[in-house]
């Protein structure tokens, strides 16, 4: 193993080890939460998280990718500020709507004033955290990144469980618990990076504007492609909730949380370090293929056994660990076990699509995904068939991952 490979492996291990503790907290708390909150309540929470995921896909204008991509440190700092501040164009309308909905006592598409306020807070926290997380990645402050996740996991688990045990508005317990965790993570990074309000006031607004124009390829191509990706990834939650009920949406939400554990534990850690490493290679005009293949094989070796276990035993495991009412979530997990394998292996490798001049390709892939998924979901709604909806989701994303793999492999040279 070369020196660079050794450093690469150590960085992944550091991220994965810290994240493991955070995910251990999630693993321990999930069986408790599933006994305190019903599938219907988890369904409402899943709709809230899906809304946050869709809005946050455009709130940063994707300038966080420029934090790694920029060669000059000062420009990277300004990209960090751009990422944090870009959410204002979403937060301002949400807060205005929240005020009107509260004052005139109305709600639009089931979003009342409190939900709009929670969404505003979530976008602010997400933008700040994303900016600081990518800045830490550039500086290789992996200790900050992992410890922030641990503190956030503790905060989410503690608050959600406390509200559940006290039987205080259960749904808001899940939502506010997630917001509390976001805040803890963002504040921790702010303190560790020693940021101050005076440094924020001294930001050169004219320079930020000039830089935003220079980097227009990120909002121009990555915002629509990421929005399409998030819509495709979350549209089933909205469809399941509105057509098949909150219990189905809750089962799907728990599936996302369970399969997200190994993805967050290892896949994201590998992806974060991998993206920084290939960014360095691209800047040096060197091939990324060796790193690409080695990373892919490592991810496949880890994910394949997990996928097999989920395929054969997920319903029994979910019933035993989470309770009898979550058997349907286990059946969904078994059905989507191959998708888990593809996502775990390919999503980190597809990080190359977000760097340099590759954003157009990613946009085309996402357009095809959304069109195919929309057709499948429309058929499912027309037939009132949950099985068709789940099949459309599995096939559409399976094809998307395979296309991403082929394109990313070609770009890696």
């Amino acid at each position: 193993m070369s020196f660079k490979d050794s450093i690469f492996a150590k960085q992944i291990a550091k991220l994965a080890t810290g994240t493991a503790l955070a995910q251990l907290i999630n693993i321990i708390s999930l069986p408790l939460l599933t006994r305190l909150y019903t599938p219907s309540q988890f369904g409402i929470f899943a709709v809230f998280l899906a809304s946050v995921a869709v809005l946050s896909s455009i709130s940063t204008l994707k300038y966080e990718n420029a934090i790694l991509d920029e060669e000059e440190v000062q420009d990277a700092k300004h990209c960090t500020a751009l990422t944090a501040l870009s959410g204002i164009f979403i937060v301002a309308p949400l807060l205005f709507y929240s005020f009107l909905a509260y004052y005139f006592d109305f709600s639009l598409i089931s979003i009342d004033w409190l939900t709009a306020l929670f969404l505003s807070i979530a976008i602010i926290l997400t933008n700040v955290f994303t900016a600081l997380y990518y800045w830490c990645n550039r500086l290789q402050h992996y200790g900050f990144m992992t410890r922030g996740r641990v503190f956030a996991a503790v905060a989410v688990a503690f608050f959600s469980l406390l509200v559940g045990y006290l039987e205080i508005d259960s749904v808001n317990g899940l939502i506010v618990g997630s917001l509390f965790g976001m805040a803890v993570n963002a504040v921790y990074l702010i303190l560790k990076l020693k940021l101050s309000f005076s440094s924020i006031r001294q930001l050169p607004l004219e320079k930020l504007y000039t830089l935003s124009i220079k980097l227009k390829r990120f909002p121009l191509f990555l915002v629509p492609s990421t929005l399409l990706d998030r819509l495709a990834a979350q549209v089933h939650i909205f469809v399941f909730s509105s057509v098949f009920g909150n219990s189905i949406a809750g089962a799907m939400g728990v599936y996302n949380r369970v399969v997200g554990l190994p993805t967050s534990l290892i896949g994201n850690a590998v992806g974060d370090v991998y993206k920084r490493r290939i960014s360095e290679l691209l800047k040096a005009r060197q091939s990324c293929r060796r790193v690409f293949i080695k990373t892919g094989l490592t991810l496949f070796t880890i994910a394949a056994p997990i996928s097999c276990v989920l395929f054969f035993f997920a319903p029994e495991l979910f019933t035993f660990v989470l309770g009898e009412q979550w058997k349907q979530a286990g059946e969904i997990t078994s059905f989507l076990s191959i998708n888990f394998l593809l996502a775990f292996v390919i999503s980190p490798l597809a990080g190359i699509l977000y760097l340099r001049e590759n954003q157009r390709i990613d946009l085309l892939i996402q357009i095809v995904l959304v069109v195919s998924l929309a057709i499948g979901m429309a058929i499912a709604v027309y037939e009132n068939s949950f099985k068709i909806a789940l099949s459309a989701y599995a096939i559409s994303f399976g094809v998307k991952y395979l296309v991403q793999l082929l394109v990313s492999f070609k770009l890696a040279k």
Side-chain angles (χ1 to χ4, degrees), residues 93-106:
L94 278 174
L95 289 176
F96 182 66
Y97 171 81
S98 179
F99 170 77
L100 291 179
Y102 176 78
Y103 190 80
F104 293 104
D105 191 23
F106 74 93

Side-chain angles (χ1 to χ4, degrees), residues 27-212:
I27 292 171
I28 293 173
S29 64
L30 185 58
L32 300 176
L33 290 172
T34 54
R35 287 169 169 80
L36 291 173
Y37 300 95
T38 66
S40 179
Q41 291 166 340
F42 264 94
I44 297 173
F45 180 50
V47 171
F48 172 80
L49 292 182
S51 301
V52 173
V54 171
L55 291 175
S56 64
S57 69
I58 61 175
S59 64
T60 64
L61 297 179
K62 308 318 292 179
Y63 286 127
E64 67 269 23
N65 293 285
I67 297 172
L68 296 176
D69 208 37
E70 284 297 302
E71 296 183 6
E72 296 296 328
V73 174
Q74 195 63 29
D75 285 344
K77 285 184 179 180
H78 292 151
C79 289
T80 305
L82 274 177
T83 302
L85 297 173
S86 294
I88 187 65
F89 79 97
I90 287 181
V91 171
L94 278 174
L95 289 176
F96 182 66
Y97 171 81
S98 179
F99 170 77
L100 291 179
Y102 176 78
Y103 190 80
F104 293 104
D105 191 23
F106 74 93
S107 64
L108 187 63
I109 57 172
S110 300
I111 298 179
D112 58 12
W113 72 270
L114 187 58
T115 303
L117 179 62
F118 285 157
L119 287 172
S120 303
I121 296 171
I123 295 304
I124 294 171
L125 294 174
T126 298
N127 271 45
V128 172
F129 166 74
T130 301
L132 300 181
Y133 186 87
Y134 271 74
W135 178 246
C136 287
N137 194 5
R138 181 184 177 100
L139 300 181
Q140 301 181 44
H141 288 330
Y142 297 115
F144 295 172
M145 295 160 71
T146 55
R147 284 192 288 272
R149 287 175 176 172
V150 172
F151 295 147
V154 171
V156 171
F158 174 78
F159 196 92
S160 300
L161 290 171
L162 178 64
V163 173
Y165 277 118
L166 295 178
E167 297 184 351
I168 305 171
D169 194 339
S170 299
V171 173
N172 282 348
L174 290 169
I175 294 175
V176 178
S178 67
L179 294 177
F180 188 54
M182 293 179 193
V184 167
N185 207 343
V187 170
Y188 172 76
L189 291 181
I190 289 172
L191 294 176
K192 296 303 292 185
L193 293 170
K194 299 179 180 179
L195 300 179
S196 62
F197 287 108
S198 60
S199 63
I200 296 174
R201 288 199 302 268
Q202 295 171 5
L203 285 173
L205 297 182
E206 184 177 347
K207 173 63 177 176
L208 294 183
Y209 175 76
T210 303
L211 190 62
S212 69

Side-chain angles (χ1 to χ4, degrees), residues 237-246 248 377 380-382 384-385:
I237 293 293
F238 298 111
V239 171
F240 292 171
S241 176
S242 60
V243 179
F244 305 115
N246 282 328
I248 294 290
M377 288 295 170
V381 171
Y382 179 78
N384 194 28
S385 171

Side-chain angles (χ1 to χ4, degrees), residues 268-411:
N268 289 347
V270 174
D272 290 336
V273 179
Y274 165 79
K275 187 182 289 187
R276 186 188 59 78
R277 177 70 180 129
I278 62 173
S279 176
E280 294 174 348
L281 292 171
L282 290 172
K283 290 174 187 176
R285 301 291 191 271
Q286 296 180 24
S287 172
C288 309
R289 188 157 289 180
R290 184 172 179 272
V291 176
F292 180 96
I293 294 174
K294 187 171 184 179
T295 303
L297 290 175
T298 300
L299 290 168
F300 180 81
T301 303
I302 296 169
I306 300 174
S307 180
C308 289
V309 171
L310 293 178
F311 180 80
F312 289 106
F313 304 110
E316 291 78 10
L317 289 173
F318 273 61
T319 301
F320 176 75
V321 177
L322 305 181
E324 184 64 34
Q325 62 180 344
W326 296 99
K327 183 178 180 180
Q328 188 172 42
E331 293 170 348
I332 292 173
T333 303
S334 177
F335 187 84
L336 297 176
S337 57
I338 302 301
N339 285 70
F340 158 75
L341 175 63
L342 294 175
F344 188 93
V345 175
I346 298 172
S347 292
L349 297 177
I352 194 171
L353 296 171
Y354 297 94
L355 301 175
R356 294 300 168 183
E357 305 296 331
N358 301 324
Q359 293 86 13
R360 294 176 179 85
I361 302 172
D362 186 61
L363 176 57
L364 292 174
I365 293 174
Q366 301 306 335
I367 290 174
V368 174
L369 170 64
V370 168
V371 170
S372 64
L373 193 59
I375 293 172
M377 288 295 170
I379 295 173
V381 171
Y382 179 78
E383 297 290 340
N384 194 28
S385 171
F386 172 63
K387 186 175 181 180
I388 292 177
L390 199 59
S391 299
Y393 175 87
I395 294 171
S396 298
F397 273 93
V399 172
K400 171 220 173 185
Y401 291 133
L402 293 176
V403 172
Q404 280 186 327
L405 177 65
L406 294 174
V407 173
S408 299
F409 180 75
K410 183 177 181 180
L411 293 174

